[in-house]
Amino acid sequence: MKHVRHFTPSLFLSLVHICLVQANYAPYFFDNGARSTNGNMALLSLSEDTPVGTHVYTLNGTDPEGDPVTYDLTYEAGSRRYFSVDENLGNVTLIEELDREKEDEIEVIVSISDGLSTVSEKVRILVMDANDESPEFINTPYIVQVPENTPSGSSIFKIEAVDKDTGSGGSITYFLQNIHANKFTIDRHSGVLRIKTGVTLDYEKSRTHFVIVVAKDGGGKLRGDNKVFSATTTVTVNVEDVQDTPPMFIGTPYYGYVYEDTLAGSEVLTVVALDGDRGRPNNIHYCIVNGDEGSFEISNTTGAISVIKSPNQLKKEVYELKVQASEISQEGDVSAYAFAIVTIRVVDLNNHPPTFYGENGPQNRFELTMYEHPPEGEILRGLKITVNDSDQGANAKFNLRLVGPGGIFRVVPQTVLNEAQVTIIVENSAAIDYEKFKVLTFKLLAIEVNTPEKFSSTADVVIRLLDTNDNVPKFSSDYYIARIPENSPGGSNVVAVTATDPDSGLWGEVKYSIYGTGADLFLIHPSTGIIYTQPWAVLDAEVNSKYNFYVKAEDTDGKYSLAEVFITVLDVNDHSPEFNENIQEKTMIIGSPVKIEAIDQDAEEPNNIVDYSIMQADPANVFDIDQSTGEIKLKSYIRSLDIIHNITKNKDCIWSLVVQAKDRGSPSFSTTAVLKIDITEETLHKGPMAAFLMQTKDNPMKALGVLAGVMGIMVLITIMISTAMFWRNKRSNKIMPVRRIIKKRQTPQSRTVRMEWLKFKRPSNAAEKFVVEDDTKSLHNENSNNNIQAAPMPPTAPSPPPPPILAPRGDAPGWRVPTVSGSLTPKFINKQLKKRGHGSAHNALVSELKMKFEKRNAAIGEPHI
């Protein structure tokens, strides 16, 4: 019993432990279905272009007891870690780039643990292909040797490229760049390179061809996009030469020269020929086929041609050799040949310059005498010139030209071979002028054309000119202007004309003559050209101050030219001013000037400008005279006859003045005259009647007739007015005062009858020279002064003597008629007195008629009381 009690606790514990152990189940992964994204990663496949950091899978499992589980990934030793896992969530992340071409399967140990038990499984993850690789050419570089005679269409090379991708991304097609410019073509699938159909290779034209080949894959997905990759390579095709081309001469055409000093056996030139097949050329053999005529030989190996005779033994100037170049094969056979022509010219040495010859041998100076201005195109036959070059061929070719004044002569011929006769032809006749050049000098130059030495020689050509009468005398001016004073005596020099004739001898002598309507008073010296006045000529600027005529210059052959001469006769102060009469008588109305006038017959100013002055007057301070116009006025303070009466006791108011007219010439001339002035005072107002009476002062009969007509009209008008007033008064039985026709004026003033409606025009004949004008018009004097009166009223004239028959009424004012004298005083005293007396009688008659007219008007105009 004791023994049983001893083992019972231990056994109990063991049984409990066993029971507990048997109750803890291991965790496990869920089964992984097709295309599942969680489980134990079995059957997982990833594309190699999956980006790093992508969540690619989720480990998922469970524990039977429901305990929490953790996950882990482990790899075999030496393997690359591509994934990481979240131990709690089981999320698997890609941490390393995938590359199918390097590793297409990845082994991973996945484990799940509940803390007590851990379950591990080895899984394989497949890496799927993506088109991430480009084609690659293998066995590069590609260098192909192709004989030039390879037939067209033949395969010459196979190109191979690989692509590590699978599927379409790994399939490759081939093509060439610049397919149209290429001599080759390629099979797109096999990569076999062929010569294009119809095309042949030619080593002589192109030894090497560079063909660019492109390999392109079929394309595929890469990171979601469709990608196509390609690669290029260059195939170098070297064309191998084949013996199919004849030899070729280098440096053709061939020319050689044999000079006169060349020695026999001397080499003339070398011909060179090469095998047309340059890759593997054959040796060349030279020989002369024909044309040498035993004078030349050639080296068979070098092609050097030599002359075997001396130059003086050569019969021809030019030899043409036919040379053959043959290819000799390695077996010693002639495989191909070619020909070339070699021209050899026998040339003389250029050791002779061109030489000029005259009639007697070599000559370097030629002279000729000829008249100026020969016809253009004329040959200078007096020059006998020959030119020669003793050399041969090109060494004897030279040019001729004249060096000197250009454009005058030309030389023919201009290019000479060996020898020629030199001809000089006139090209510009006008330039061959004796007056410009007495001697023309030229250099005749001959210079070789195509020789390196350019030998030359010269000859002097001297042409002496003879004069001809080819010029016309020419004046120094087309016209001459001269001036001469009018007081110049006969035979005075006026002007000298000059004409020159550049001709020599008698042809250059000039003879002068004048002609024309204005040349009568002048002569010209035939040799000197001095123009002077005729010995009897008298010049007068007042008669004619301008002369013009022509002057002619003539040589001995009658050639002449003309010029025009203009002569002005200068005025000289040789006339004195002249009055119309030595004693003049004028009537001056106070306030109006009188005018004197003297005329100077000189032609020009200042000789004919006259200044006036009063030489003598008594008293001296009564009159003023205008120096320029000759108008004489009373001093400004003299305004009435009363002032004059206070100055002098001469009641007649007639003044005598000595006036002088003096010209402005140098020396100056003057003339004096006696002027008697009758001073009167105007009593009539300005108006037509006053003007009329003043103008008819010296013709009382005309004034009487006009006044009678005026009075008759006034009487008729008065009768008509009286009749009308009478009938009016008779009807009204009232006596009305008649309006005065003429009002009374103050005693000192005179009456003026204004009859503006009555105007007389100036008559055209002497019998009708009086006119009555408006008071705004001026009074015209008959003393040739024609003084124009201004707007102010003239002062009244003094009263005329009382009429002999009628006396005015005591109550009527007396009328005063001004006396106007408009005639120059005659030179003789008795005529002057008669004229004055006649004028006084006319004045008295006018006064009488005027008084009757006044009384008549006063009687009619008296008012009836």
Side-chain angles (χ1 to χ4, degrees):
M1 284 301 291
K2 290 183 182 179
H3 181 72
V4 173
R5 291 180 183 176
H6 178 73
F7 290 99
T8 300
S10 301
L11 180 60
F12 176 76
L13 290 174
S14 300
L15 291 174
V16 172
H17 182 265
I18 294 170
C19 291
L20 289 175
V21 171
Q22 290 180 351
N24 184 19
Y25 294 97
Y28 62 91
F29 288 101
F30 292 128
D31 291 336
N32 199 16
R35 299 181 181 178
S36 175
T37 59
N38 58 47
N40 60 355
M41 289 182 69
L43 303 178
L44 176 63
S45 63
L46 292 176
S47 177
E48 64 178 332
D49 60 349
T50 302
V52 174
T54 302
H55 175 212
V56 296
Y57 197 81
T58 301
L59 293 178
N60 193 7
T62 184
D63 182 61
E65 288 81 18
D67 293 332
V69 296
T70 59
Y71 306 98
D72 191 14
L73 296 177
T74 58
Y75 299 87
E76 292 182 359
S79 297
R80 180 177 296 182
R81 295 177 59 85
Y82 285 96
F83 306 99
S84 65
V85 64
D86 186 319
E87 64 178 5
N88 295 318
L89 299 178
N91 293 332
V92 179
T93 303
L94 180 66
I95 61 174
E96 185 74 22
E97 284 188 356
L98 301 178
D99 189 350
R100 189 199 65 82
E101 287 73 28
K102 294 181 179 179
E103 191 173 1
D104 58 355
E105 289 185 358
I106 302 174
E107 290 185 354
V108 180
I109 300 174
V110 297
S111 60
I112 183 171
S113 174
D114 59 1
L116 296 177
S117 300
T118 299
V119 178
S120 298
E121 296 182 9
K122 180 183 288 189
V123 296
R124 288 186 178 181
I125 299 171
L126 299 179
V127 179
M128 306 303 294
D129 186 43
N131 190 24
D132 60 346
E133 296 291 335
S134 298
E136 293 182 3
F137 291 96
I138 60 176
N139 300 323
T140 58
Y142 298 132
I143 301 174
V144 184
Q145 305 293 332
V146 180
E148 63 176 336
N149 58 354
T150 301
S152 63
S154 300
S155 299
I156 60 173
F157 192 70
K158 185 178 187 308
I159 296 149
E160 187 176 358
V162 295
D163 192 323
K164 296 177 182 180
D165 291 321
T166 61
S168 63
S171 63
I172 296 175
T173 56
Y174 303 92
F175 61 92
L176 302 180
Q177 288 186 354
N178 301 325
I179 185 64
H180 298 292
N182 235 316
K183 291 180 177 292
F184 305 93
T185 183
I186 192 170
D187 187 282
R188 60 178 301 177
H189 298 294
S190 65
V192 174
L193 187 66
R194 292 182 176 89
I195 301 174
K196 190 180 292 185
T197 303
V199 174
T200 58
L201 303 180
D202 191 345
Y203 176 86
E204 286 69 35
K205 293 182 179 178
S206 180
R207 300 182 182 183
T208 303
H209 299 275
F210 297 98
V211 182
I212 299 176
V213 180
V214 179
K216 182 173 67 173
D217 63 18
K221 292 292 184 178
L222 178 64
R223 296 183 182 91
D225 295 331
N226 189 39
K227 294 291 185 179
V228 177
F229 292 96
S230 63
T232 60
T233 188
T234 300
V235 179
T236 303
V237 179
N238 293 323
V239 180
E240 294 180 346
D241 191 19
V242 176
Q243 287 295 331
D244 60 350
T245 305
M248 293 182 297
F249 283 95
I250 305 302
T252 58
Y254 293 111
Y255 294 96
Y257 299 93
V258 176
Y259 298 97
E260 62 179 343
D261 59 350
T262 302
L263 299 176
S266 298
E267 183 179 321
V268 178
L269 78 161
T270 299
V271 297
V272 177
L274 298 177
D275 186 355
D277 302 310
R278 305 293 177 85
R280 291 178 293 176
N282 291 324
N283 295 327
I284 303 298
H285 180 272
Y286 300 95
C287 65
I288 297 176
V289 178
N290 58 42
D292 61 328
E293 299 183 4
S295 301
F296 300 92
E297 64 179 6
I298 189 170
S299 172
N300 295 331
T301 57
T302 64
I305 299 174
S306 303
V307 59
I308 58 177
K309 293 181 180 180
S310 61
N312 57 3
Q313 294 176 336
L314 299 178
K315 299 178 180 181
K316 296 174 63 176
E317 183 179 349
V318 177
Y319 292 85
E320 290 187 352
L321 310 181
K322 186 176 182 180
V323 178
Q324 176 179 317
S326 303
E327 290 185 21
I328 306 299
S329 65
Q330 294 179 357
E331 292 80 13
D333 299 327
V334 176
S335 60
Y337 55 86
F339 298 98
I341 301 299
V342 178
T343 302
I344 298 178
R345 187 180 299 276
V346 180
V347 179
D348 183 36
L349 286 178
N350 186 28
N351 51 8
H352 296 90
T355 305
F356 292 100
Y357 295 88
E359 294 180 343
N360 300 319
Q363 186 175 334
N364 58 5
R365 183 179 178 86
F366 300 88
E367 296 186 6
L368 174 67
T369 301
M370 59 180 291
Y371 284 100
E372 63 177 339
H373 304 302
E376 292 184 2
E378 181 174 308
I379 298 174
L380 303 188
R381 302 187 184 278
L383 293 175
K384 305 294 184 181
I385 306 174
T386 303
V387 63
N388 175 269
D389 191 326
S390 300
D391 292 320
Q392 299 298 320
N395 292 334
K397 186 177 181 181
F398 55 92
N399 288 339
L400 285 177
R401 65 182 181 185
L402 279 176
V403 180
I408 300 178
F409 298 100
R410 61 187 175 92
V411 62
V412 176
Q414 294 184 351
T415 302
V416 179
L417 183 61
N418 291 118
E419 183 174 315
Q421 184 75 29
V422 179
T423 301
I424 297 178
I425 301 174
V426 176
E427 192 171 33
N428 186 356
S429 176
I432 306 174
D433 193 347
Y434 176 83
E435 285 71 35
K436 295 180 180 178
F437 309 102
K438 302 295 188 296
V439 178
L440 291 171
T441 303
F442 296 88
K443 289 283 188 183
L444 185 58
L445 174 63
I447 182 171
E448 293 177 348
V449 179
N450 297 321
T451 63
E453 296 81 10
K454 298 290 183 182
F455 288 143
S456 64
S457 61
T458 59
D460 293 328
V461 179
V462 179
I463 300 175
R464 304 184 187 278
L465 298 181
L466 300 177
D467 192 21
T468 60
N469 188 21
D470 60 329
N471 290 284
V472 176
K474 185 176 181 181
F475 282 98
S476 60
S477 176
D478 292 334
Y479 56 89
Y480 295 88
I481 299 174
R483 296 176 177 84
I484 183 171
E486 64 178 341
N487 60 354
S488 300
S492 298
N493 291 346
V494 180
V495 65
V497 299
T498 303
T500 56
D501 190 330
D503 292 322
S504 61
L506 296 177
W507 290 326
E509 294 182 1
V510 179
K511 181 180 179 181
Y512 300 96
S513 60
I514 59 174
Y515 65 93
T517 56
D520 297 338
L521 299 181
F522 302 93
L523 296 173
I524 188 170
H525 192 281
S527 300
T528 63
I530 297 176
I531 299 175
Y532 54 94
T533 59
Q534 294 274 12
W536 46 265
V538 177
L539 303 178
D540 191 345
E542 290 74 34
V543 176
N544 189 2
S545 63
K546 303 290 183 181
Y547 296 90
N548 73 292
F549 50 84
Y550 290 96
V551 58
K552 178 166 73 173
E554 185 177 11
D555 63 14
T556 55
D557 273 356
K559 294 183 178 181
Y560 67 91
S561 62
L562 301 177
E564 194 167 3
V565 179
F566 298 90
I567 297 177
T568 300
V569 179
L570 300 177
D571 184 43
V572 177
N573 192 24
D574 56 352
H575 290 83
S576 300
E578 294 183 1
F579 290 100
N580 292 339
E581 296 180 355
N582 293 334
I583 300 178
Q584 303 183 27
E585 184 173 301
K586 295 182 180 293
T587 299
M588 176 185 289
I589 300 174
I590 295 178
S592 299
V594 296
K595 183 178 180 181
I596 61 173
E597 185 176 10
I599 298 175
D600 194 314
Q601 297 297 330
D602 285 315
E604 299 177 359
E605 297 180 358
N607 297 334
N608 58 6
I609 298 178
V610 178
D611 293 331
Y612 301 92
S613 61
I614 298 175
M615 302 298 295
Q616 183 177 355
D618 187 18
N621 295 324
V622 175
F623 298 99
D624 286 329
I625 188 169
D626 189 294
Q627 179 181 354
S628 301
T629 64
E631 289 186 349
I632 300 176
K633 299 180 182 178
L634 291 171
K635 295 287 186 178
S636 60
Y637 66 87
I638 301 176
R639 300 179 180 176
S640 65
L641 288 175
D642 296 336
I643 298 175
I644 296 176
H645 293 160
N646 293 333
I647 296 175
T648 178
K649 295 179 180 180
N650 186 0
K651 300 302 181 181
D652 294 337
C653 297
I654 296 177
W655 301 75
S656 294
L657 304 177
V658 178
V659 294
Q660 183 189 58
K662 183 178 182 181
D663 62 28
R664 296 184 183 180
S666 180
S668 178
F669 294 99
S670 62
T671 303
T672 58
V674 176
L675 176 64
K676 294 186 177 182
I677 300 177
D678 183 6
I679 301 177
T680 183
E681 188 173 22
E682 183 181 25
T683 58
L684 295 177
H685 291 286
K686 279 188 175 181
M689 182 60 71
F692 171 75
L693 292 176
M694 290 299 294
Q695 292 183 2
T696 57
K697 174 178 178 294
D698 296 330
N699 195 350
M701 294 304 296
K702 183 175 182 179
L704 183 62
V706 172
L707 290 176
V710 172
M711 291 176 65
I713 293 172
M714 295 298 295
V715 170
L716 180 60
I717 293 174
T718 303
I719 293 174
M720 292 174 65
I721 295 174
S722 300
T723 303
M725 295 295 296
F726 172 75
W727 286 106
R728 180 181 178 185
N729 294 335
K730 185 176 180 180
R731 290 177 183 178
S732 61
N733 294 324
K734 293 182 180 181
I735 299 176
M736 299 298 293
V738 179
R739 182 176 299 176
R740 293 180 181 272
I741 303 301
I742 301 175
K743 295 182 179 181
K744 292 185 178 181
R745 301 179 183 274
Q746 296 180 2
T747 304
Q749 298 179 352
S750 60
R751 289 179 180 272
T752 301
V753 180
R754 298 183 60 87
M755 302 176 67
E756 295 181 359
W757 54 271
L758 181 60
K759 294 185 180 180
F760 294 85
K761 293 184 178 180
R762 182 176 296 276
S764 60
N765 52 28
E768 299 176 350
K769 65 179 181 178
F770 301 99
V771 64
V772 178
E773 296 181 351
D774 193 357
D775 57 355
T776 61
K777 302 285 181 74
S778 301
L779 292 175
H780 295 273
N781 295 332
E782 294 182 359
N783 57 3
S784 300
N785 294 323
N786 294 332
N787 294 324
I788 299 175
Q789 301 299 321
M793 297 287 291
T796 58
S799 301
I805 300 176
L806 298 177
R809 292 173 55 184
D811 55 350
W815 288 76
R816 299 180 181 179
V817 181
T819 61
V820 180
S821 176
S823 302
L824 292 175
T825 306
K827 294 183 179 180
F828 300 100
I829 301 300
N830 55 355
K831 293 182 179 180
Q832 179 183 0
L833 294 176
K834 288 180 180 181
K835 187 173 182 179
R836 289 188 61 191
H838 182 65
S840 300
H842 286 183
N843 293 339
L845 181 58
V846 172
S847 300
E848 182 179 358
L849 293 175
K850 186 64 179 175
M851 292 177 66
K852 289 181 179 182
F853 178 70
E854 189 179 39
K855 289 175 65 179
R856 180 72 176 176
N857 290 339
I860 294 174
E862 195 71 27
H864 299 280
I865 302 174

